Amino acid sequence: MALERESVENALFKAGYGTIFAFMLVPLVIVIATSFSPSGNLDFPPAGFSLKWYSAFFDNIDWLRAFDNSLVIGAGTTVIATFLGTTAAFGLEARRDRWTQLLVPVVIMPLLIPPVILGVTLLVYFNEMGLRSSYVSIILAHTLWATPLVFFVMQSIFQRFDWELRDAGMDLGANPIRVFVHVVLPNVKSGIFVSALLAFIISLQEFVMALFLSSYGTRTIPVLAWTTLRQSLTPIVSVVSTFLILISLVGILLAALATNLDFIAKRL
Amino acid sequence: MSVTTRNSLLDRVWEPFRQQPGSRRALLLMAPLMVFEFFVFIAPFLMLLRISLSKQVRGLPYEAGTFTFEAYSEVLSSEFFHGLITYSFKLGIIATLLTVVLATFYAYAIWRSEGLTRTMLLFSVVLPLLTTLVIKTYAWVPLLAPRGTVNELLMAIGVLQSPIQLVPNTTGVIVGQVYIVFPYATLAVYSVLSTLDWEIVEAARDLGASRPRSFFEVVLPQAMPGVAVATVVSFAWSVGAYAAPGLLGAGSDRTFAIEVETQMLVGFNWPVATALSAIMLVLMFVSVVILYTALNSVGGDVSHGA
């Protein structure tokens, strides 16, 4: 009797998480499937197989330009966010008091504010600064989101680092920057790599702030996908989505190889 | 670059910092981020407040140098804006409830699983999390459309006689919004669960607690900090939802975020857009503080009781 009940519970439990698993991944699979549509409709299951929307993508100058914009903005965000997050996490490790602890909530806050409000706020501000629709404005906005992730990944990496190694280097007379480059850096390299990767993906996929801050010349892939969707539902958006999903997929695999998926998942 | 020249370069970089005490150096390391947060986060919000107190004027985003509460009284006294704000909060509450219940369950399943299953389950939340909002919303169009996958499936197995309207509709908005915030909520609960000791649960079971009972009385109270974070994140983002109601909603599914965008980019009425943003921020901040305190005190009480 008890055993029977246990197996019913087990079956229900498995069915439950299996359903959610499908709920999470099926939409993405369907988007990829519709990118091979032979017609102009988003059919699933697809009525056939065709690569015509892929060639349409590569023939379209607007999409290619948006792709370049996304790369420029992603690269800028990666560099700035990785620098800001890593130095601050390193500094916080060396000095923890009431004032420096204040930095933590300020760094998290941008993640908790609806992106539309952040977008409006930054648009108003950058407009006043004369930076409206510049790459710089979008890079700084994305940095606001990417930095907390870098910061928390690096914080936990620095916490696991054996600081006696550093002290040993210092005792041997090396200056702290030399110790950082020769002793600390090799040990936290994979953490920095994962942070940079996450920062890049965050920037590549971010859309609401970019929608507010970009113009015709600086719009990114997600922004162009959104503007296209508002006019018509076309499989070309599925093509672009397939590329973006693949980039994230490769990014997750690389990050998981450098550390592990569990580590990354806990810090997102 | 040889090791010696690199080291001498590193020594030269160090020179200016030599005189500084250690704690000052740590501050110097944090300085770039502090400066960044001030100029890209705090200063912009002060600017937002200033512009929300400007006069509205035709043909320009706002009239510089004016000071008035006009935009605030317009938002606060209009039925139209009240409707938007109520709808946003309703959507926020429904999406948050659904998300947090499902996410807590899923996080528990990830925590209990091992090996390949755990990797696959984690992957199923990390991939959507790192996928753009646009795709996460758009993906539901072919699924929920009148001739879409879900309707066809339900008709094939005889649940439905004719297709039901899921998009554009509030149902679609809620499904899309839950899908958007679900990964964040799951990982928030999971990261707390993963610090727990499974043996406490085993002990409760050995003492005769049923599995559901051991979950509700032992696991859940301990996971409460994670559940609280999941609730706050889901709520803040769902009240501020833009993409899901924009693409999956009907005309009546109008959130404040969509209105802010329209006022800002189409209507060029910056005082109203910024005042509405500021009012929503205050309302959300107050509800988040109440929610967070309530959830944490619930967790505390139960764990003392158990």
Side-chain angles (χ1 to χ4, degrees):
Chain A
M1 196 48 197
L3 212 65
E4 201 172 286
R5 180 179 164 168
E6 200 145 282
S7 62
V8 170
E9 275 175 11
N10 267 335
L12 280 176
F13 186 60
K14 278 195 183 141
Y17 71 71
T19 310
I20 299 181
F21 181 78
F23 172 75
M24 291 319 288
L25 291 182
V26 165
L28 301 184
V29 172
I30 288 186
V31 166
I32 296 175
T34 54
S35 74
F36 299 110
S37 167
S39 68
N41 301 325
L42 300 171
D43 290 326
F44 188 85
F49 179 85
S50 141
L51 288 176
K52 76 177 199 195
W53 295 104
Y54 282 81
S55 61
F57 171 82
F58 286 106
D59 286 341
N60 188 320
I61 187 76
D62 280 343
W63 283 107
L64 296 177
R65 189 181 298 139
F67 196 78
D68 290 344
N69 289 339
S70 279
L71 286 184
V72 170
I73 291 164
T77 305
T78 308
V79 172
I80 303 178
T82 311
F83 171 75
L84 291 176
T86 309
T87 48
F90 191 55
L92 193 64
E93 200 51 42
R95 173 181 167 151
R96 270 174 192 280
D97 57 36
R98 201 145 44 102
W99 291 107
T100 55
Q101 288 287 13
L102 257 183
L103 189 60
V104 179
V106 176
V107 172
I108 306 179
M109 202 102 78
L111 290 179
L112 293 176
I113 291 176
V116 168
I117 294 188
L118 266 183
V120 167
T121 309
L122 292 173
L123 171 59
V124 165
Y125 181 69
F126 286 128
N127 181 60
E128 208 72 17
M129 301 280 134
L131 287 169
R132 189 168 179 182
S133 18
S134 64
Y135 282 133
V136 177
S137 66
I138 309 173
I139 290 175
L140 290 176
H142 286 179
T143 304
L144 213 48
W145 264 24
T147 307
L149 293 172
V150 175
F151 181 75
F152 290 115
V153 169
M154 289 318 292
Q155 221 189 351
S156 56
I157 294 271
F158 283 133
Q159 270 164 11
R160 292 196 306 187
F161 175 68
D162 183 1
W163 291 98
E164 282 176 15
L165 279 178
R166 182 195 60 165
D167 297 341
M170 303 273 259
D171 291 344
L172 292 171
N175 82 44
I177 291 184
R178 243 203 239 186
V179 172
F180 185 80
V181 171
H182 292 304
V183 182
V184 183
L185 207 55
N187 281 289
V188 298
K189 244 185 348 206
S190 61
I192 296 183
F193 171 72
V194 169
S195 311
L197 205 61
L198 288 176
F200 183 78
I201 296 177
I202 298 280
S203 164
L204 191 66
Q205 310 277 356
E206 199 288 326
F207 135 72
V208 178
M209 288 190 280
L211 179 70
F212 278 90
L213 296 172
S214 65
S215 65
Y216 181 79
T218 49
R219 60 189 175 182
T220 58
I221 286 265
V223 173
L224 182 54
W226 178 259
T227 12
T228 309
L229 281 178
R230 301 221 89 171
Q231 284 147 21
S232 68
L233 293 165
T234 138
I236 204 166
V237 176
S238 298
V239 171
V240 180
S241 306
T242 305
F243 288 137
L244 289 178
I245 295 171
L246 283 180
I247 294 175
S248 281
L249 196 64
V250 171
I252 295 170
L253 288 179
L254 285 176
L257 284 177
T259 51
N260 67 62
L261 192 57
D262 197 66
F263 174 83
I264 299 158
K266 281 181 211 153
R267 273 150 200 93
L268 279 174
Chain B
M1 193 158 51
S2 75
V3 174
T4 9
T5 57
R6 194 164 71 169
N7 279 344
S8 73
L9 183 73
L10 293 177
D11 283 335
R12 220 166 327 136
V13 175
W14 174 243
E15 205 48 50
F17 299 102
R18 187 186 293 281
Q19 305 306 322
Q20 313 276 358
S23 63
R24 179 82 68 75
R25 275 184 235 135
L27 270 189
L28 276 174
L29 278 171
M30 283 182 265
L33 185 56
M34 289 174 171
V35 171
F36 172 81
E37 294 292 341
F38 180 79
F39 282 104
V40 185
F41 186 54
I42 296 168
F45 270 97
L46 298 177
M47 183 80 78
L48 177 94
L49 286 181
R50 180 64 193 92
I51 287 182
S52 68
L53 293 169
S54 299
K55 215 171 146 54
Q56 307 169 43
V57 55
R58 207 174 274 282
L60 274 175
Y62 65 99
E63 195 169 329
T66 49
F67 187 91
T68 164
F69 287 97
E70 211 177 71
Y72 283 91
S73 64
E74 183 175 331
V75 173
L76 291 173
S77 64
S78 129
E79 288 288 326
F80 172 69
F81 286 111
H82 289 178
L84 291 176
I85 296 173
T86 324
Y87 177 83
S88 303
F89 271 93
K90 267 189 204 152
L91 174 65
I93 292 167
I94 296 172
T96 304
L97 270 175
L98 280 170
T99 307
V100 171
V101 171
L102 292 174
T104 307
F105 169 77
Y106 204 52
Y108 178 76
I110 300 177
W111 182 49
R112 290 308 305 136
S113 62
E114 340 173 282
L116 185 64
T117 316
R118 175 182 275 197
T119 309
M120 289 309 292
L121 294 180
L122 274 177
F123 173 78
S124 74
V125 283
V126 174
L127 182 66
L129 188 145
L130 293 177
T131 300
T132 177
L133 253 154
V134 181
I135 303 178
K136 283 190 269 195
T137 323
Y138 159 69
W140 289 98
V141 176
L143 266 165
L144 299 179
R147 306 287 317 171
T149 320
V150 169
N151 267 315
E152 298 274 312
L153 205 70
L154 290 178
M155 287 199 297
I157 57 173
V159 176
L160 290 180
Q161 297 304 312
S162 57
I164 45 168
Q165 179 87 2
L166 296 167
V167 281
N169 196 327
T170 313
T171 319
V173 179
I174 291 170
V175 172
Q177 189 58 31
V178 169
Y179 186 64
I180 289 168
V181 290
F182 184 84
Y184 298 92
T186 306
L187 293 180
V189 180
Y190 173 67
S191 58
V192 173
L193 276 181
S194 63
T195 62
L196 295 189
D197 199 350
W198 174 243
E199 278 165 22
I200 313 171
V201 187
E202 301 247 280
R205 293 224 185 130
D206 289 344
L207 293 172
S210 70
R211 292 205 284 184
R213 191 165 163 213
S214 64
F215 174 80
F216 284 109
E217 293 190 3
V218 182
V219 180
L220 200 56
Q222 306 238 33
M224 226 45 201
V227 175
V229 172
T231 309
V232 166
V233 171
S234 310
F235 181 75
W237 287 15
S238 302
V239 173
Y242 170 76
L247 197 64
L248 302 172
S252 59
D253 295 301
R254 201 169 173 82
T255 60
F256 92 90
I258 295 182
E259 180 62 22
V260 164
E261 192 249 5
T262 316
Q263 294 276 359
M264 198 71 192
L265 301 181
V266 185
F268 285 108
N269 189 339
W270 287 17
V272 165
T274 51
L276 181 55
S277 302
I279 290 170
M280 282 310 287
L281 263 187
V282 172
L283 290 177
M284 286 169 66
F285 180 76
V286 172
S287 23
V288 159
V289 169
I290 295 173
L291 259 177
Y292 194 77
T293 332
L295 283 172
N296 270 324
S297 70
V298 166
D301 287 349
V302 177
S303 68
H304 286 304

